[in-house]
Amino acid sequence: MVSVDWVFLGLRIITVLGGVIWVSYYPEGQAPGRIDTGSLFSFYLGFVAYSLLLFFGLVRFPSKALSFYRASFWLDLIFISAIIRATGGFASSFFIAYYLLIALHTAYYSSLVTGGLASLAGAAAYLLALYGRFEGVYWGDLMMRLSMMPLVGLSTGLLVKQLAEAKEQLEANGVKLAESNKLLERKLTQVNSLYEASKALGSLLHYDEVIRLIVGLAGETLDSPVSYMMMTNERGQLYFRSSSGIRDDLLKDAYLEPGTGVAGRVYLSGTPAVIEDLLNHPESSLTEIDRQAQLRSLLAVPILNKGRTVGVLNVARHEPGCYSHEDLQLLQVVATLAAAAIEKAEVFEEAQRAAVTDGLTGLYNRRYFSQQLEVEVRRGQRYSFPVCLVIMDIDHFKKINDTYGHPGGDQILREVSRRLKGLARHSDVVARYGGEEFAIILPQTPMAGAMTFAERVRLEVGGQKFRLNDGREIPVTISLGVAEYPSHAKSVDELLNEADKGLYQAKVSGRNRVCQAGGEGRHQH
């Protein structure tokens, strides 16, 4: 059924105007048969009144449109028959209005059956309009007029049906086109994101920034609210290196052994995975995280660097069955970009580490130590924080070298460095100061705390013998000097000199002890 529009009222206005013109220019008494123009004009007024009522009823009560159209058909049929009877019967040209009525009614209902029934009703109404006035009827012409009615009804019904099917096909094509356009827009957005990301990744050198950008890129490209990268820690376990869309408290202590769970299997096998429903997947060992974060669909791809898996890149959604094979291929492209960027960042950071660290011990070198000491002293000046410096020296190191050779001496240096790093805080700067000398910067640490820390270092180094590669064990002790800014010094050079004085005092006092600037050994073995 077509919708209510101005066509409904417009056709009736045309009909009324045509009839009024016909009556106005056809003088009474000159028409074949008897025409009462006054009565005919009353017919038109009634037709106008009921048409207006019907139209406003359609507008006011659209849910009852079918009933209104059905009533209008019978009222129109009666009106046309009355006009024909009043304007000469068979000689009247108003029989053509039957065709228009049948066509419109068939179009309203969009049905071949309706067209057939309307045609039969029109033919019957025409015969009733002629009842009792068959004089002068040309029967061949009458049969032609009657036979045209089902032809109009059926052809209109067929045409409307074909138009309806064409409309449905156009709408279906429109939906497909809209989906295709949406898919194309998504692909263009993804390609643009990848292009912009590749430029950004090419300009980034710091490892943490690269990882964060990769995680964000994966989520944006795959239109996923959750994305994260898992990498291995020093124990070989997978942990959440960076994430987006999952609460940090859920990931803080979450670890996965390689080979277990989806990400663990992907990491171990180097094969990507598409999971339609994480909560019902037998290999997911992160069910608590999945449940808390309400994750269902998952894509996981390995990040490969020179044939070695260095991590697993994941994206997830809260609904099941969201990812396709094309999505997996796209995430693999992101993972390839990630691998190249990670490799570049690792090379850069390795070069940075090489520039600031000692090749033998892995501690910061003297150059970096000097730079950081300047930074910490300036920060202490600005915020009135104390800064302590500990300088230490391995006792009788020349004798160790002479007795056990330089390989043995190098091993002792590496082991002392390892013990120092184990005791230092994250904010402390541990450096190889030169030869067998080491230095530690203790930011925001007063003298009492520095002395306690230095004593712990002395006990850690001297409390347990060092085992060489050949199995021999030797005792090693250290002497330490401690100075504080601003109590003992007002500048970096003064701080270094005061710590050196403390170290000298420790050595001349018998070694294996901690001394502060200008003081005697406070702790000794």
Side-chain angles (χ1 to χ4, degrees):
M1 184 187 70
V2 297
S3 60
V4 178
D5 54 30
W6 287 95
V7 174
F8 180 86
L9 186 60
L11 289 173
R12 280 163 168 71
I13 292 173
I14 292 170
T15 302
V16 171
L17 289 175
V20 170
I21 292 170
W22 189 89
V23 171
S24 300
Y25 287 94
Y26 205 98
E28 185 176 354
Q30 295 185 17
R34 296 176 300 280
I35 302 176
D36 182 359
T37 54
S39 299
L40 193 61
F41 197 72
S42 298
F43 268 122
Y44 278 114
L45 289 177
F47 178 75
V48 170
Y50 113 78
S51 295
L52 289 173
L53 286 173
L54 184 63
F55 177 75
F56 288 116
L58 286 169
V59 173
R60 182 66 179 82
F61 305 103
S63 61
K64 299 184 180 297
L66 282 173
S67 300
F68 283 125
Y69 282 133
R70 190 176 296 114
S72 73
F73 173 76
W74 295 108
L75 290 172
D76 288 349
L77 204 62
I78 294 171
F79 173 76
I80 294 170
S81 300
I83 291 292
I84 289 173
R85 196 168 181 85
T87 55
F90 182 75
S92 174
S93 301
F94 277 94
F95 73 91
I96 296 174
Y98 283 125
Y99 302 143
L100 180 60
L101 176 62
I102 293 168
L104 284 176
H105 192 63
T106 303
Y108 288 154
Y109 287 89
S110 304
S111 168
L112 281 171
V113 175
T114 300
L117 294 175
S119 302
L120 293 176
Y126 191 30
L127 290 174
L128 287 173
L130 298 178
Y131 182 75
R133 296 186 180 182
F134 287 107
E135 63 275 8
V137 172
Y138 179 57
W139 293 100
D141 190 8
L142 178 60
M143 295 305 295
M144 182 65 70
R145 296 178 184 183
L146 294 174
S147 63
M148 285 295 292
M149 293 183 185
L151 181 61
V152 170
L154 295 176
S155 60
T156 302
L158 182 61
L159 177 61
V160 170
K161 181 181 178 182
Q162 290 176 342
L163 288 174
E165 291 175 351
K167 179 183 177 183
E168 290 179 1
Q169 185 62 45
L170 284 174
E171 289 176 349
N173 291 339
V175 171
K176 290 181 180 179
L177 181 61
E179 291 176 350
S180 299
N181 287 337
K182 185 176 180 181
L183 180 61
L184 180 60
E185 288 176 2
R186 182 186 175 194
K187 294 295 183 185
L188 288 174
T189 301
Q190 291 171 340
V191 169
N192 185 62
S193 297
L194 289 174
Y195 173 69
E196 294 297 330
S198 64
K199 291 197 301 183
L201 285 171
S203 64
L204 287 179
L205 295 174
H206 293 288
Y207 195 83
D208 288 340
E209 292 180 350
V210 168
I211 298 297
R212 282 195 297 271
L213 180 60
I214 290 168
V215 170
L217 171 64
E220 180 182 350
T221 305
L222 275 299
D223 192 22
S224 299
V226 175
S227 55
Y228 55 93
M229 183 185 296
M230 301 191 76
M231 305 186 81
T232 53
N233 57 21
E234 62 277 2
R235 295 187 296 275
Q237 298 170 313
L238 286 168
Y239 72 104
F240 288 83
R241 183 66 174 77
S242 180
S243 66
S244 175
I246 305 180
R247 297 199 324 265
D248 291 339
D249 60 299
L250 292 177
L251 310 180
K252 183 179 180 182
D253 297 317
Y255 301 100
L256 196 63
E257 297 294 335
T260 61
V262 177
R265 178 173 57 83
V266 169
Y267 179 84
L268 197 62
S269 66
T271 303
V274 183
I275 307 301
E276 293 195 358
D277 193 346
L278 252 181
L279 296 185
N280 297 324
H281 196 271
E283 292 183 333
S284 175
S285 62
L286 296 175
T287 53
E288 182 61 23
I289 292 177
D290 297 336
R291 186 182 66 80
Q292 291 285 344
Q294 298 180 344
L295 304 182
R296 301 296 294 274
S297 302
L298 174 72
L299 278 184
V301 299
I303 300 176
L304 302 175
N305 185 5
K306 298 178 181 179
R308 180 177 63 90
T309 303
V310 297
V312 181
L313 185 60
N314 308 265
V315 293
R317 291 183 187 167
H318 303 299
E319 305 81 18
C322 292
Y323 296 115
S324 64
H325 182 67
E326 286 117 1
D327 293 326
L328 178 61
Q329 290 178 322
L330 190 60
L331 190 59
Q332 287 179 302
V333 172
V334 176
T336 301
L337 289 174
I342 288 173
E343 181 180 3
K344 182 179 178 181
E346 286 178 343
V347 170
F348 174 75
E349 293 208 347
E350 182 60 35
Q352 279 194 318
R353 280 193 296 270
V356 300
T357 57
D358 174 63
L360 176 64
T361 63
L363 300 179
Y364 289 116
N365 57 26
R366 183 164 182 166
R367 175 185 169 191
Y368 180 80
F369 162 79
S370 299
Q371 293 173 348
Q372 289 303 113
L373 186 60
E374 291 274 3
V375 170
E376 294 300 337
V377 169
R378 283 200 301 269
R379 185 180 291 125
Q381 289 173 342
R382 185 178 303 116
Y383 299 109
S384 299
F385 291 149
V387 178
C388 279
L389 174 62
V390 180
I391 294 180
M392 64 202 77
D393 183 273
I394 298 177
D395 297 328
H396 306 296
F397 187 71
K398 183 178 183 303
K399 183 179 179 181
I400 293 175
N401 270 336
D402 292 341
T403 305
Y404 302 100
H406 286 288
D410 290 346
Q411 190 175 345
I412 296 299
L413 290 172
R414 285 194 291 268
E415 179 60 20
V416 169
S417 300
R418 187 189 68 80
R419 296 186 187 186
L420 292 180
K421 285 191 290 186
L423 289 175
R425 301 169 302 180
H426 180 72
S427 59
D428 299 337
V429 178
V430 184
R432 186 181 179 189
Y433 194 58
E436 69 274 19
E437 284 188 308
F438 300 89
I440 302 178
I441 303 171
L442 305 174
Q444 301 183 41
T445 304
M447 190 64 186
M451 291 293 289
T452 300
F453 172 78
E455 178 62 13
R456 286 176 56 205
V457 170
R458 186 187 71 80
L459 294 175
E460 176 69 19
V461 173
Q464 185 176 359
K465 291 184 177 181
F466 286 53
R467 179 183 293 273
L468 300 180
N469 291 334
D470 59 10
R472 288 180 293 177
E473 292 185 348
I474 59 174
V476 176
T477 62
I478 57 173
S479 299
L480 305 95
V482 184
E484 180 199 291
Y485 169 89
S487 298
H488 299 132
K490 303 301 181 183
S491 67
V492 170
D493 290 339
E494 288 183 14
L495 188 61
L496 285 168
N497 288 333
E498 292 301 316
D500 264 332
K501 289 178 182 179
L503 175 60
Y504 177 77
Q505 183 65 35
K507 284 184 171 292
V508 299
S509 299
R511 292 185 172 85
N512 189 22
R513 65 192 63 212
V514 179
C515 288
Q516 66 182 42
E520 298 180 355
R522 293 178 56 191
H523 303 276
Q524 58 186 356
H525 180 65

